[in-house]
């Protein structure tokens, strides 16, 4: 629903075009701005872009003051496009609504209302009360995808979770007594880009011990985008010889365990620079997954990419914690019947019931990636 209008033959086409640019700006810094959302902002005057901004790494400054500063005097009477409702509360910096009014902006176009209770329509209301024209809902579905982590954190008290699984053509994720190479370099590059846009990357202790992964971003020029690495380890079985532990002083690493985990193991990991936090266990003695994600949200984490194996994937699905699921199918079959199925019963049920619905199919060289999103 919108109010207000732009000049020109097709004002909505202009709004869509400039909002798409604002979304592209915000998308660029996904994974770098937590605990704040990565917002894009564009200032347009007389059909020309005179200012642009994106939330800076660490969450400050916000996109709007950056775009307004670039625009300078040209912001007076201009239109500001923002991918999320401007903040209206005092934090470490003054509200963005104050900066927008002071700059003389005439019209503000946003994609989404911010569900954060400190904003939740108040930003739009303050701008309207100051005499600005406000239009909302432009490219809302696209913006909701990019801001999924922020929205999930403030409405559900946990980060959004993107689950990734690779499978052979006949549906297996692993083979007995060997490490199975399923996907090719193009698919691997896509996975690294997902990592770069995540606040944290998550695996279970089984993957950590079996694969000894680095869990870093290894795309050219993006090494500094490696996210926080998180291992779920109920009884602290992770070995000091693993790369995750040995590199913890250089790459932030967090191990989530149960409150009953042995203290000597905690101290050993701490000596390597690994942070260890304990959460409640479930009735089987394993980590309560909902509690683990809640703790991550309390630390400001909004977007988690999970690359654990089928067992962790199915447990997350059973706990209804999967928001996005990408299944990458390689071109080769494992053959035989001794492999580990990629899709467990809980995840299969979520797919069959329409709880997770397909939204995108991409060919990544010889591999095919199908992405599903939560339907409710």
């Amino acid at each position: 629903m919108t109010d207000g209008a732009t000049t020109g033959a097709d004002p909505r086409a202009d709004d869509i075009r400039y909002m798409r640019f604002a979304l592209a700006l915000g998308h660029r810094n996904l994974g770098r701005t937590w605990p704040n959302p990565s917002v894009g902002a564009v200032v347009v005057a007389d059909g020309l872009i005179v200012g642009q901004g994106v939330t800076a790494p660490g969450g400050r400054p916000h996109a709007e003051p950056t775009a307004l500063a670039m625009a300078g005097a040209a912001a007076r009477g201009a239109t500001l496009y923002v991918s999320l409702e401007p903040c209206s509360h005092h934090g470490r910096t003054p509200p963005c609504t104050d900066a927008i009014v002071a700059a003389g902006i005439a019209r503000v176009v946003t994609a989404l209302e911010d569900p954060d209770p400190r904003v939740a329509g108040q930003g739009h209301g303050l701008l309207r009360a100051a005499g600005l024209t406000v239009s909302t809902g432009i490219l809302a579905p696209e913006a909701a995808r990019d801001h999924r982590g922020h929205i999930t954190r403030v409405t559900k008290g946990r980060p959004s979770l993107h689950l990734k699984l690779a499978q052979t053509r006949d549906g297996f994720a692993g083979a007995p007594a060997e490490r199975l190479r399923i996907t090719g370099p193009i698919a691997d590059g896509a996975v690294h880009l997902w990592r770069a846009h995540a606040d944290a990357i998550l695996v279970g202790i089984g993957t950590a011990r079996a694969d000894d992964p680095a869990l870093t971003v290894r795309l050219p020029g993006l090494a500094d985008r490696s996210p926080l690495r998180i291992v779920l380890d109920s009884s602290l079985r992770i070995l000091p010889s693993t790369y995750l532990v040995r590199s913890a002083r250089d790459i932030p690493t967090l191990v989530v365990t149960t409150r009953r985990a042995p203290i000597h193991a905690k101290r050993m990991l701490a000596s390597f620079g690994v942070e260890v936090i304990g959460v409640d266990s479930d009735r089987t003695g394993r980590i309560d997954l909902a509690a683990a994600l809640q703790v991550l949200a309390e630390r400001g984490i909004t977007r988690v990419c999970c690359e654990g194996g089928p067992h962790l994937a199915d447990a997350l699905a059973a706990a209804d914690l999967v928001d996005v699921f990408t299944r990458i199918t390689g071109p080769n079959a494992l053959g035989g019947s001794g492999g580990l199925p990629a899709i467990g019963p809980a995840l299969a049920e979520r797919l069959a019931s329409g709880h997770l619905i397909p939204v995108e199919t991409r060919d990544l060289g010889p591999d095919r990636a199908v992405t599903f999103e939560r339907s409710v």
Side-chain angles (χ1 to χ4, degrees):
M1 179 176 178
T2 64
D3 59 83
T6 58
T7 59
D10 188 351
R12 181 169 173 81
D14 287 343
D15 285 349
I16 290 172
R17 180 159 55 98
Y18 293 125
M19 184 59 72
R20 203 171 296 285
F21 182 38
L23 286 168
L25 290 170
H27 189 84
R28 184 175 62 189
N29 270 9
L30 287 175
R32 308 186 76 190
T33 66
W34 60 281
N36 291 343
S38 183
V39 176
V42 180
V43 182
V44 178
D46 298 323
L48 298 175
I49 294 175
V50 295
Q52 65 185 59
V54 60
T55 309
R60 299 282 177 175
H62 286 184
E64 297 94 324
T66 300
L68 293 170
M70 180 182 290
R76 189 157 299 278
T79 297
L80 174 67
Y81 293 85
V82 193
S83 65
L84 187 67
E85 178 182 11
C87 67
S88 55
H89 59 283
H90 284 269
R92 286 183 290 167
T93 56
C96 289
T97 50
D98 288 1
I100 293 167
V101 173
I105 289 289
R107 178 174 181 250
V108 175
V109 181
T110 69
L112 289 176
E113 181 178 297
D114 189 343
D116 188 326
R118 298 171 298 175
V119 187
Q122 296 177 68
H124 290 148
L126 287 171
L127 293 172
R128 290 188 176 105
L132 282 70
T133 300
V134 178
S135 300
T136 65
I138 303 298
L139 296 183
E142 292 91 333
R145 285 189 175 94
D146 277 359
H147 293 304
R148 180 185 283 112
H150 170 69
I151 294 168
T152 303
R153 180 173 177 255
V154 300
T155 60
K156 297 184 178 182
R158 64 169 178 83
S160 68
L161 189 134
H162 181 182
L163 173 66
K164 188 274 293 184
L165 282 174
Q167 66 175 20
T168 60
R169 184 162 49 84
D170 47 354
F172 294 106
E178 68 174 291
R179 185 174 179 180
L180 192 62
R181 180 73 176 174
I182 297 175
T183 57
I186 298 176
D188 292 348
V191 171
H192 281 258
L193 193 58
W194 292 330
R195 290 180 181 179
H197 285 156
D199 302 347
I201 182 168
L202 174 72
V203 297
I205 183 59
T207 296
R209 285 174 63 103
D211 296 346
D212 194 17
L215 302 184
T216 55
V217 176
R218 296 187 293 278
L219 293 175
L222 294 180
D224 65 337
R225 296 287 296 263
S226 294
L228 173 68
R229 305 178 301 183
I230 303 173
V231 180
L232 301 181
D233 185 359
S234 299
S235 54
L236 294 186
R237 294 187 295 123
I238 191 168
L239 300 173
S241 58
T242 62
Y243 182 81
L244 288 167
V245 174
R246 289 185 289 106
S247 61
R249 295 198 183 279
D250 299 315
I251 307 168
T253 305
L254 172 67
V255 172
V256 180
T257 188
T258 60
R259 301 190 192 281
R260 294 183 293 179
I263 189 66
H264 69 274
K266 294 179 183 179
R267 290 172 177 164
M268 179 275 293
L269 292 173
S271 71
F272 282 91
V274 176
E275 184 180 1
V276 180
I277 57 174
V279 299
D280 292 337
S281 53
D282 62 18
R283 60 186 180 183
T284 69
R286 295 186 176 91
I287 291 168
D288 183 314
L289 296 174
L293 291 187
Q294 180 181 345
V295 166
L296 298 182
E298 290 169 355
R299 297 168 65 90
I301 294 171
T302 67
R303 297 167 57 89
V304 173
C305 180
C306 178
E307 294 186 33
H311 296 303
L312 177 57
D314 210 54
L316 289 165
D320 194 22
L321 297 172
V322 178
D323 299 293
V324 182
F325 167 50
T326 299
R327 180 184 64 212
I328 307 177
T329 303
N332 300 316
L334 177 63
S337 58
L340 174 65
I343 308 297
L347 183 54
E349 189 279 329
R350 295 288 174 181
L351 295 170
S353 67
H355 185 84
L356 292 168
I357 58 175
V359 295
E360 182 185 54
T361 299
R362 296 171 59 194
D363 286 328
L364 302 170
D367 307 311
R368 171 158 290 192
V370 181
T371 295
F372 303 78
E373 291 182 353
R374 177 187 290 269
S375 60
V376 292

